[in-house]
Structures are given as C-alpha cells and as structure tokens.
C-alpha cells in the first residue's frame, strides 16, 4: 500500500472540520430553535469568528468565559450552538480558575471559512419584519414639518433674481 501523497492529510482534516460545522449549523437552524434564537446564535457566532479572523494573534478574541452572560443567552440556549463552537476549533479550558472557551491556534486559518458558512446559514433565515414608524414622528419635533411659505429658509431675502 502506497503512503498518502504529501499534503493530502490537510484537506481531509479541513473537510472533516467543515462537515462537523455543517452538522452543528443544521442543528442551530432546526425547528428545535425559534427563528430569532437561530438568528441571534448565528449572528453572534459570525461576530466571534470575524473577530478571530481580523485579530488572529490577539488572545482577547480567542477566549470567552463560559459564564459570560452574552455567550449563555445567545449561543448556549440554541440547540447546536456549542457544537458549532467545538466544530470551529473552540474548546473548554480552565484559565485562572475560570471555565473558558479557548480558540485553538491551529484553526485560525479556517476562521474566514467558518464565518462564511455561518453567514450563508444566516442569509437563509426569513427577513426581519420591518418596524412600523412611530405615529406622529416626523422630521420635526413631535410632528410634521411646517408648510414652506414663499420665503421659508431664505432668511427673509425673498430669493435672488
């Protein structure tokens, strides 16, 4: 049996990583999660990966305390949210006595790919309903703009011939 060709292991590992992420994102997008839970989870995951992608050497963007309220409310509540974290290279660790998600340095190169996969799933969600404008709120305080008379806005100059 011939040994695998040089460089063939890396693409296989990358494909496995994206397969795991695809499975986790399918779980996030499942009917187990309300649409807004899906949107919030995917948006937060995308932002996390965007930060890693833009700041690959900054430890601040590669650590998230497990007790972080935003993380708990936006990712942990969604079915598949923590599975997506693990599939992208995040893993649990204890740092200074605190349970923390830490992003593996060997996954930094995939951060952009992971974010694109998340953004694609986010784009599949139905559009947010448009908010109706508040009643009685025009561009002027409390209502509609005053009617413009013949010389309004001209400082009494009456216009130039």
């Amino acid at each position: 049996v011939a040994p695998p060709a040089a460089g063939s292991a890396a693409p296989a590992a990358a494909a496995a990583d994206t397969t795991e992420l695809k499975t986790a994102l399918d779980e996030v997008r499942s009917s187990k999660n309300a649409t807004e839970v899906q949107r919030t989870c995917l948006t937060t995951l995308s932002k996390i990966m965007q930060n890693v992608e833009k700041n690959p050497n900054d430890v601040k963007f590669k650590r998230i305390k497990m007790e972080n309220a935003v993380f708990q409310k936006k990712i942990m509540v969604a079915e598949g949210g923590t599975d997506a974290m693990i599939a992208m290279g995040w893993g649990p660790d204890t740092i200074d006595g605190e349970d923390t998600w830490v992003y593996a340095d060997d996954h930094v190169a995939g951060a952009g790919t992971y974010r694109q996969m998340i953004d694609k799933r986010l784009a599949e969600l139905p559009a947010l309903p448009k908010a109706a404008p508040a009643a009685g709120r025009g561009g002027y305080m409390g209502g509609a703009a005053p009617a413009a008379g013949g010389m309004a806005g001209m400082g009494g100059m009456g216009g130039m011939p």
Side-chain angles (χ1 to χ4, degrees), residues 35-115:
T35 301
E36 287 315 306
V37 170
Q38 295 174 36
R39 186 182 321 280
T40 300
C41 180
L42 293 171
T43 300
T44 305
L45 289 171
S46 179
K47 182 64 176 171
I48 289 169
M49 296 314 296
Q50 181 181 32
N51 286 338
V52 170
E53 186 180 7
K54 289 183 176 180
N55 307 283
N57 299 315
D58 194 337
V59 173
K60 175 173 92 172
F61 296 107
K62 296 193 297 187
R63 291 184 181 172
I64 301 170
K65 292 179 184 174
M66 289 187 190
E67 295 301 316
N68 178 305
V70 171
F71 176 79
Q72 289 186 357
K73 289 179 192 172
K74 295 184 176 189
I75 295 175
M76 286 190 69
V77 299
E79 291 282 336
T82 53
D83 291 339
M85 294 282 291
I86 292 166
M88 292 186 293
W90 292 88
D93 200 353
T94 302
I95 299 175
D96 297 329
E98 293 189 90
D99 292 332
T100 306
W101 285 98
V102 178
Y103 194 66
D105 287 334
D106 62 345
H107 280 73
V108 168
T113 300
Y114 301 145
R115 183 188 48 77

Side-chain angles (χ1 to χ4, degrees), residues 10-22:
D17 289 344
T18 58
T19 299
E20 289 175 22
L21 180 57
K22 181 187 178 311

